[in-house]
Amino acid sequence: MGTRMTFVTEEEGINVFLKSKEVNFELAVQNPVYRTASIPKNTFLTLHEKLYIMIKGKLGTFNLYQLTGQLTEELHEQLENLGTHGTMKLNNLVRHLLYPVTMNIFFKKGLFPTDKRKIKEFYQHFQAYDEGFEYGSQMPECLLRNWSKSKKWLLALFEKTIPDIKTYKSVKNNSTTLMQAMLDIIETERKEEESPNYGLLILWASLSNAVPVASWTLAFILSHPTVHETILEGISSVFGTAGKDKIKVSEDDLKKLPLIKWCILEAIRLRAPGVITRKVLKPVKILNYTVPSGDLLMLSPFWLHRNPKYFPEPELFKPERWKKANLEKHAFLDWFLAFGSGKYQCPGRWFALLQIQICIILILYKYDCRLLDPLPKQNPLHLVGVQQPEGQCRIEFKQRK
Ligand code: HEM
């Protein structure tokens, strides 16, 4: 639709994408941000770097472990609502856990509705917004009636709740939530009329990839019996065998269970975002081509992760390949680009890994789980963000005795 895109697939092009000063993140995403969250260009460009630095700091490895206790508590609360046994679509089970946990932690405790009708309404609108995000980021809103309705519903929700978020004070500690810290920056720049729009944007960023990644990780673990067994043994050795206790999970406990983190990273490698993008500011030369300014440069982490030169036997789920990564020093494997790269690499990556680790530990500690369907295929239509499953995948869970 009038946008020129150049895809880089070879090392030389990838290096230009990752290192050239002539390609720009902000100008590549500004238009999609305008279409999906109605944030005007000047507001976006004024606030972007300040917000990014704050989010990166708050969710970076130095501060992150302050959230472990809260994450565990919130997840226990949501697991309690699942009861002692049941069968659900795997995706829905993960949504049931991560939607409220993320809302309550990033915005304000108790923000996620508890009334059944309101929860259903939230699910319906967030899912419609998320599923249509890719189209919404490219097309005029007037062509996407239902998507637009859900976008407006979510914006109205934030408009209503922002005064409460602003005045909320945690009883347990003095720290501000992520959204409160964002509001401080937005207000300092006198852009408060755009606060609900930022609420919507950060809600989408924090859930759209984390939910499918948690589902894929569980699906991979449950469909690889040896991995599943080893993880269960690890969990029993750290937390004991009973499934009823409200266990606490510490940073040290997580270090004793590296296989879970490797499984998450391997699931992300295999289902990585279809594309990430940069705008070309001045013509750049790649091999024999000159890519003109104004083009979007596109790189596919999904495709790159299937290159056997970088990832031997790339199609196989092999969590042990992550043994080689220096995760203690917060480094991933070379050529792993699921979180993007450079100045504006995903600032939520360490939070996502922590949240999913605790989520998986608590599910597998509390319940005996099995999949009732084979591992689903990935839907090839999704380019923005992590691949979605195609077809149904149900999970059966029974409380361990
Ligand atoms: C496994 C889950 C996740 C994946 C795979 C993922 C992936 C990505 C990718 C590929 C980008 C673009 C980076 C680039 O182009 O270089 C990005 C940006 C971003 N992510 Fe994540 N992400 C995940 C979870 C999260 C979470 C939990 C948050 C929570 C706050 C988050 C917040 C953001 C934000 C705010 C940006 C935009 C950064 C900017 O504007 O500069 N992400 N993410």
Side-chain angles (χ1 to χ4, degrees):
M1 298 208 293
T3 308
R4 268 181 55 103
M5 298 175 182
T6 302
F7 283 75
V8 292
T9 55
E10 305 306 317
E11 240 166 87
E12 192 178 330
I14 295 165
N15 281 329
V16 169
F17 185 101
L18 300 178
K19 294 179 188 150
S20 169
K21 291 208 166 63
E22 311 304 347
V23 305
N24 181 282
F25 171 86
E26 286 173 329
L27 292 171
V29 299
Q30 177 270 314
N31 209 20
V33 165
Y34 175 67
R35 288 198 190 281
T36 52
S38 305
I39 295 172
K41 184 172 179 176
N42 71 334
T43 306
F44 176 73
L45 294 178
T46 308
L47 293 177
H48 177 251
E49 183 154 9
K50 294 185 185 85
L51 287 171
Y52 179 84
I53 291 170
M54 182 279 293
I55 299 172
K56 189 175 153 194
K58 225 169 159 58
L59 303 182
T61 50
F62 185 72
N63 289 320
L64 188 62
Y65 285 98
Q66 292 171 12
L67 291 175
T68 312
Q70 213 185 339
L71 267 168
T72 312
E73 230 172 77
E74 286 283 347
L75 278 161
H76 273 308
E77 235 172 81
Q78 299 310 322
L79 278 167
E80 207 120 289
N81 296 336
L82 284 180
T84 54
H85 62 281
T87 301
M88 278 173 101
K89 285 186 186 156
L90 177 58
N91 252 345
N92 284 347
L93 179 127
V94 173
R95 280 189 189 114
H96 173 93
L97 299 173
L98 296 194
Y99 281 10
V101 169
T102 307
M103 277 271 243
N104 290 343
I105 289 185
F106 280 169
F107 291 84
K108 149 186 186 297
K109 181 145 183 73
L111 186 69
F112 195 78
T114 45
D115 171 90
K116 262 194 180 155
R117 188 183 58 83
K118 287 192 176 149
I119 295 177
K120 202 172 153 203
E121 215 178 359
F122 177 86
Y123 268 52
Q124 220 177 332
H125 286 295
F126 185 76
Q127 239 169 284
Y129 178 76
D130 188 26
E131 276 163 20
F133 190 91
E134 195 152 337
Y135 297 107
S137 71
Q138 302 294 323
M139 286 161 70
E141 198 169 331
C142 59
L143 299 175
L144 300 161
R145 222 167 168 198
N146 282 336
W147 181 79
S148 173
K149 223 163 98 184
S150 292
K151 176 184 162 187
K152 287 188 179 127
W153 187 91
L154 289 162
L155 283 171
L157 172 76
F158 283 116
E159 197 138 347
K160 210 167 56 198
T161 49
I162 274 178
D164 291 342
I165 295 172
K166 243 195 264 183
T167 51
Y168 168 73
K169 284 216 165 39
S170 163
V171 281
K172 292 223 167 121
N173 55 35
N174 276 329
S175 67
T176 52
T177 65
L178 185 73
M179 188 62 199
Q180 285 178 322
M182 288 177 70
L183 290 172
D184 282 345
I185 295 175
I186 294 168
E187 280 179 11
T188 312
E189 296 292 332
R190 305 217 187 126
K191 301 283 185 194
E192 44 272 57
E193 68 275 20
E194 257 91 55
S195 301
N197 309 62
Y198 276 99
L200 175 58
L201 197 59
I202 198 67
L203 180 71
W204 180 81
S206 55
L207 286 173
S208 65
N209 288 312
V211 168
V213 165
S215 304
W216 282 117
T217 309
L218 263 173
F220 277 120
I221 293 174
L222 296 178
S223 52
H224 289 76
T226 323
V227 175
H228 186 189
E229 217 168 280
T230 314
I231 286 179
L232 289 183
E233 279 165 17
I235 292 176
S236 300
S237 78
V238 177
F239 301 106
T241 46
K244 282 189 182 157
D245 293 337
K246 265 201 167 173
I247 50 169
K248 292 206 159 106
V249 180
S250 68
E251 198 181 340
D252 271 348
D253 296 331
L254 295 173
K255 281 193 188 138
K256 291 180 201 147
L257 299 166
L259 181 56
I260 297 178
K261 198 173 194 173
W262 299 346
C263 286
I264 301 169
L265 287 163
E266 186 64 351
I268 301 177
R269 182 187 69 81
L270 282 166
R271 298 293 179 265
V275 288
I276 52 177
T277 177
R278 303 288 185 266
K279 186 126 176 177
V280 180
L281 302 180
K282 281 194 188 152
V284 286
K285 197 160 182 285
I286 299 173
L287 301 168
N288 289 326
Y289 301 94
T290 301
V291 187
S293 55
D295 263 28
L296 287 178
L297 214 53
M298 314 293 280
L299 183 154
S300 173
F302 180 87
W303 189 86
L304 193 67
H305 293 174
R306 276 163 176 72
N307 188 335
K309 197 165 117 195
Y310 310 136
F311 298 97
E313 300 185 283
E315 291 293 344
L316 295 186
F317 176 76
K318 285 175 72 176
E320 65 279 8
R321 74 171 88 234
W322 286 90
K323 212 182 253 183
K324 279 204 208 126
N326 197 349
L327 294 170
E328 294 265 308
K329 291 256 158 75
H330 312 297
F332 298 123
L333 289 173
D334 290 344
W335 302 100
F336 174 79
L337 288 177
F339 294 113
S341 101
K343 190 172 171 195
Y344 295 121
Q345 193 178 12
C346 172
R349 60 196 185 282
W350 304 114
F351 176 85
L353 293 176
L354 179 68
Q355 183 183 43
I356 300 169
Q357 277 177 92
I358 300 177
C359 180
I360 284 172
I361 290 172
L362 295 190
I363 293 176
L364 296 181
Y365 172 80
K366 182 167 178 182
Y367 296 113
D368 280 321
C369 298
R370 73 185 177 105
L371 293 185
L372 299 181
D373 302 294
L375 187 76
K377 290 208 173 78
Q378 59 216 342
N379 185 330
L381 292 178
H382 239 8
L383 266 187
V384 174
V386 164
Q387 310 300 295
Q388 303 286 333
E390 191 172 67
Q392 77 163 353
C393 179
R394 291 160 304 156
I395 181 171
E396 182 186 67
F397 53 92
K398 281 188 200 137
Q399 186 153 349
R400 295 167 77 188
K401 298 215 172 72

